[in-house]
Amino acid sequence: MNPVSTAGAVLLAVGLVGYGVGVAVPYPGRAFSLTAVALGIVLVAIGPSLEEATP
C-alpha cells in the first residue's frame, strides 16, 4: 500500500468514527467528518493509479 492510499484509509476511518460520534452527540465541526470521508475515499481510489504512473 502506498502512502497516498494509507493516508486515505486513515482519513476515511477517522471520518467514519467522527460521523458516528456526531450522530450520537452533536459537537462543533462535525460536518468536517463528511469531508474527511469524501477525501479519504478519493485518496484510496487514486492511490494505486499514482503508483503506476511513477517509473
Side-chain angles (χ1 to χ4, degrees):
M1 206 174 208
N2 64 12
V4 174
S5 292
T6 304
V10 169
L11 197 56
L12 179 60
V14 168
L16 288 174
V17 169
Y19 183 78
V21 172
V23 167
V25 179
Y27 62 91
R30 64 182 176 212
F32 289 113
S33 65
L34 294 176
T35 305
V37 169
L39 187 58
I41 290 171
V42 168
L43 291 177
V44 167
I46 67 168
S49 65
L50 292 175
E51 191 173 86
E52 292 172 2
T54 16

